[in-house]
Structure formats: C-alpha cells, structure tokens
Amino acid sequence: MRYLLLVFLLIATQIEAQNDDQKQINEIYKTALTNGKGYAWLNYLSNQIGGRLSGSLQAQKAVDYTKKILDSMGLDRVWLQPVKVPKWVRGTPEFAYIESDPGLTNNVPICALGGSVATPLGGIKAGVVEVQGIEGLKVLGKEKIQGKIVFFNKAMDPTNINAFVSYSSSVDQRYAGAAEAVKYGAVGIIVRSLNLRLDDFPHTGAMSYGDTPVESRIPAAAISTNGAELLSATLKLNPEINFFFRQNCKILPDADSYNVIGEIKGSTYPNEILVVGGHLDSWDLGDGSHDDGAGCVQSMEVLRLLKATGYRPKRTIRVVLFMNEENGLRGGTTYAEQASKNNEKHIFALESDSGGFTPRGFSFDCNETNFEQVEGWKSLFEPYLLHLFVKGGSEADIGPLKNDNIVLAGLIPDSQRYFDHHHSANDTFAHVNKRELELGAASMASLIYLFDQYGFKE
Ligand SMILES: [Zn+2]
C-alpha cells in the first residue's frame, strides 16, 4: 500500500513537472511573439551598422551596440572578452569578364574569396580549364592546367533536402581550391558560388592557402551561378577563350576585437554554465542578417525572454556573441581557452548559425544518456512544430568547448532558402521574417529552460 502511494506520488510529481514545463514554454513563445525585441535589434545591426567583417569599424560598432543592449537588460554581469582577429579587406569592387574572341567580352559578377590575395594591379587574363571539384584537377593534370585559371564548377547537389549537406560536400573547392590548383601550375581560381539557385550574386567565404608559400599564392574569386553557367557554356563552344579578373583585397595585421558576453547567475548551481550564442562578425557583401545577425539577436532574446517571463534560472545562463567565426574562429577558440583557464564548468551550449528561418528542431552533439533526456522533451516542442531532434553536430563557435561533460546543440531552421543569401549581397534584413526569427528565439529559450531545469545527465 505504502509502495503504491509512493509510485502514485512519483507519477503525480512528474506530471506536475511536465505541466510546469508546458506552462513556462508557452509563456516563452507567447512573450516572444507578442513582445519580441530581436527583430528591432537586428534592424539596427543590419541597417544602421551593416556587414561586420572581423577587424572592421562595423564589427567594433556591433560590439558597442550589443554590449549596450545587454547592459540595459538588467543582467548580473556583462563584459567584453578581448580577441585578436585577422583583418582582411576587400578593397575596391572586383571586375571580371569572359573574352570569347579578342575584343568580344561579357562581364560576369565575381567577388574575392575571404583571405585571398589580390591579382596584379592590371588584373589577370588567361585561358580557363573547368573542373568538377578538387578531384577534377588530377583528371586534367599539370600539362593542361599550367598557366591557366582553374574554374571549379561543382554545383550544390539539389537532391539533398537538408541544404547544408550539399554545402558541406561542395565547400572544399572554395576552401582549398587555390592551395590545390597551384600545385598544378594554375595562375588563379574561379569558384562557382555555393548557391542552389541561378542568380547574379557571387558568394564569398573563407579559403585557405594551406602551406603554400606566400610568394606562390594565387588569387581566388567566386562567380555567381549565372556567371558560372555562362562561362561553362562558352567554354564548351570554344575551349580557347580567355578569362579576365581583377581584385585588390589584402591582409592587414591582426586587430583587437571582442566577444560580447552577458549572464544571469544561477540561484542553485551558479557554477554550472549554460551558453547560448551566435557570431557577431559577418561577411561584408550584405549586412549579415541571416549569417549571423539572426543568431546573435535570438541569443540575446533568450536571456530577455527568461527574465520577461519571470523565470529565475537555477544555473548560470550566459549569452556569448562570438567574434570572427567567418574567417578564423578566434572568438570561439578564445572563449573555450578562457573557460578552461578559469576552470569553468560548461554543461550545455546552444548556437544559432543556420539562418533566421522557421525553426524545425535541434541537433545535439552528446552521449546517448543525454540524447535520451532530450528526446524525452520532444512532446513539449511538438505544439510549436519543432519535430527534428538529430543526434550529431552543432555549430562552429561552440565546437571548441567539446568534452565528455557537455551537450552541444545547434538550432535547425528550415534550410531551403538559406543559400540564396549566405555570404552574398543578398543577405539583408528584408529577407528575415519577424515571426520566424521570434519562433527561433522562443525555441532556443525553451531548450535552455529545460537544460536549466534538468541539467547534464552524468
Ligand atoms: Zn555563420
């Protein structure tokens, strides 16, 4: 009899906890959708400040602005964490054309890849060879590549429903294309933009020369998908055409910058830290609204929503706006170094860096026990149409925090339109939907709330 009573009490407590969770999550969504602040913050970040390349004036303005907002939120502590960042500048707009016959040219939109060297002042004009990804270099061999511009034209695979899968399988030609092509004697590279649709926006992104000596580095640029189609079609008609491009980007000495951090101290376990974040830097062609202004304002909104709904966290909840995700990851690595130096115990980190679109779920990089706990929360998210709870993967800035005693997570928004914008002049505020942005913030706040309630499972 006594045993039955205990079981009954236990079940009753669990149901009550579940009801409390439902209520709190409902409050979070309601507050986000009726009184959200993230969209207005993003408007300022995008339209008053703009693209925030590491080391730029805009990046510094974004640090100042977001710190000011965090200061106004009544958090327990707000601070700037110094980070040395690489500083690459684009210079004047790039210029390129296809020369199908002497004097007969078609201009095409290109942009320098982040970290690329400039062309000689007068530009480069050379013959072109087309390859499908890095593997294509070997097929052609040195004889055919020597003295030419290599045109990497591997398109993103449209058959993957998760667009990030297609991105991952094509991004190596952008990141390592120049370092590989130079081994075959190429004088420059042009890479098809990582974009699933055909349009006129070139998409930049990080590239690396690997161990290529400074004097041998060749310029690298992205061409719009329409430009890539035209170049490929022209080459088929006449393999002897020339390509011209000019860019005057350069690398300057490292600059001083910051991660922007704010926290609410935990009432019961102040030494257990939960992080929510995005990256404050962006590329320079657009205003970085989706990548990753959205993730930054959503993360700030998480702390505001918890406060606005009257929730008092048991554990310490910290928002971190990481600097320099795009071309160095210095913010993420510095944050993890400092955390380990200060013996901080991080049990959960969540990042939003896949755009401000309708949230579909989360990915979790964690052990089986913790994934089981997370799966137990699925029904709490179903009313908000979040169905994807995926094991494996999170986001770049929180990656360096990885160890056996932390759960890393990433928000999964709908990915279909993300690469229409990503790293291009088309990543602007007008393409962020207020409601979708707010739903993402509420989803993140709800997950943070649950980890705060139930902690890391040993
Ligand atoms: Zn990003």
Side-chain angles (χ1 to χ4, degrees), residues 257-271:
S257 192
Y258 304 92
N259 289 330
V260 183
I261 309 176
E263 71 179 21
I264 306 172
K265 266 258 171 289
S267 57
T268 320
Y269 313 105
N271 294 330

Side-chain angles (χ1 to χ4, degrees), residues 279 291-292 325-326 353 418:
H279 64 86
D291 188 12
D292 183 28
E325 188 271 348
E326 296 292 2
D353 185 19
Y418 187 60

Side-chain angles (χ1 to χ4, degrees), residues 266-319:
S267 57
T268 320
Y269 313 105
N271 294 330
E272 294 192 9
I273 300 168
L274 284 70
V275 161
V276 60
H279 64 86
L280 197 49
D281 67 305
S282 76
W283 287 107
D284 54 330
L285 298 170
D287 61 32
S289 284
H290 275 297
D291 188 12
D292 183 28
C296 289
V297 300
Q298 286 173 325
S299 301
M300 292 158 72
E301 181 76 341
V302 166
L303 272 69
R304 198 196 65 84
L305 286 172
L306 294 177
K307 280 188 86 85
T309 53
Y311 181 67
R312 179 106 201 272
K314 295 183 192 175
R315 297 170 163 87
T316 293
I317 298 179
R318 198 178 270 179
V319 53

Side-chain angles (χ1 to χ4, degrees), residues 49-110:
I49 297 176
R52 303 168 292 281
L53 200 49
S54 288
S56 67
L57 177 64
Q58 288 91 332
Q60 183 54 45
K61 282 186 178 170
V63 165
D64 296 340
Y65 172 67
T66 49
K67 173 158 188 305
K68 194 182 86 185
I69 298 294
L70 293 181
D71 278 334
S72 74
M73 278 168 50
L75 304 177
D76 295 318
R77 194 177 159 219
V78 175
W79 72 103
L80 298 181
Q81 182 175 62
V83 183
K84 273 270 184 227
V85 296
K87 182 168 179 171
W88 174 84
V89 293
R90 183 172 302 282
T92 50
E94 302 82 346
F95 178 64
Y97 59 77
I98 299 167
E99 188 183 59
S100 30
D101 259 318
L104 189 62
T105 61
N106 272 309
N107 293 357
V108 281
I110 64 151

Side-chain angles (χ1 to χ4, degrees), residues 100-364:
S100 30
D101 259 318
L104 189 62
T105 61
N106 272 309
N107 293 357
V108 281
I110 64 151
C111 66
L113 294 182
S116 174
V117 296
T119 57
L121 261 184
I124 287 183
K125 187 155 83 173
V128 191
V129 285
E130 176 179 337
V131 295
Q132 303 301 312
I134 283 176
E135 314 76 52
L137 293 169
K138 218 183 281 166
V139 180
L140 281 185
K142 202 161 182 173
E143 216 164 286
K144 291 192 176 134
I145 296 175
Q146 188 77 40
K148 299 272 173 68
I149 291 168
V150 171
F151 168 39
F152 289 97
N153 193 28
K154 183 179 174 186
M156 282 176 79
D157 181 354
T159 63
N160 292 311
I161 305 307
N162 177 355
F164 284 90
V165 173
S166 305
Y167 178 70
S168 301
S169 62
S170 296
V171 72
D172 62 337
Q173 60 183 0
R174 184 195 81 204
Y175 190 75
E180 293 305 316
V182 77
K183 295 177 188 164
Y184 294 82
V187 294
I189 69 159
I190 296 293
V191 185
R192 183 190 182 97
S193 287
L194 296 170
N195 177 359
L196 278 156
R197 69 178 192 181
L198 294 176
D199 65 27
D200 295 321
F201 295 103
H203 295 227
T204 190
M207 55 91 61
S208 162
Y209 287 107
D211 51 15
T212 314
V214 176
E215 64 281 6
S216 315
R217 294 178 179 181
I218 56 173
I223 186 168
S224 71
T225 46
N226 275 338
E229 293 287 300
L230 179 67
L231 179 54
S232 183
T234 313
L235 273 170
K236 281 191 183 74
L237 289 173
N238 178 7
E240 303 304 315
I241 60 158
N242 282 319
F243 191 85
F244 171 89
F245 75 116
R246 189 176 65 213
Q247 58 190 32
N248 61 5
C249 42
K250 63 176 163 217
I251 297 172
L252 300 173
D254 282 1
D256 290 318
S257 192
Y258 304 92
N259 289 330
V260 183
I261 309 176
E263 71 179 21
I264 306 172
K265 266 258 171 289
S267 57
T268 320
Y269 313 105
N271 294 330
E272 294 192 9
I273 300 168
L274 284 70
V275 161
V276 60
H279 64 86
L280 197 49
D281 67 305
S282 76
W283 287 107
D284 54 330
L285 298 170
D287 61 32
S289 284
H290 275 297
D291 188 12
D292 183 28
C296 289
V297 300
Q298 286 173 325
S299 301
M300 292 158 72
E301 181 76 341
V302 166
L303 272 69
R304 198 196 65 84
L305 286 172
L306 294 177
K307 280 188 86 85
T309 53
Y311 181 67
R312 179 106 201 272
K314 295 183 192 175
R315 297 170 163 87
T316 293
I317 298 179
R318 198 178 270 179
V319 53
V320 184
L321 309 179
F322 297 94
M323 185 51 72
N324 186 229
E325 188 271 348
E326 296 292 2
N327 56 338
L329 206 69
R330 301 269 183 91
T333 41
T334 302
Y335 182 79
E337 275 163 21
Q338 292 300 315
S340 123
K341 212 173 102 186
N342 298 331
N343 274 320
E344 287 178 347
K345 185 179 176 188
H346 285 68
I347 64 155
F348 179 60
L350 167 65
E351 181 164 2
S352 164
D353 185 19
S354 297
F357 298 100
T358 304
R360 302 283 190 218
F362 302 98
S363 63
F364 297 93

Side-chain angles (χ1 to χ4, degrees), residues 7-25 380 449-450 453-454:
V7 171
F8 175 76
L9 275 175
L10 192 70
I11 292 174
T13 329
Q14 274 173 353
I15 291 174
E16 202 177 86
Q18 180 96 5
N19 285 342
D20 287 349
D21 293 344
Q22 265 168 7
K23 262 189 233 151
Q24 175 59 30
I25 290 172
L380 289 165
Y449 158 78
L450 289 167
Q453 280 292 304
Y454 302 105

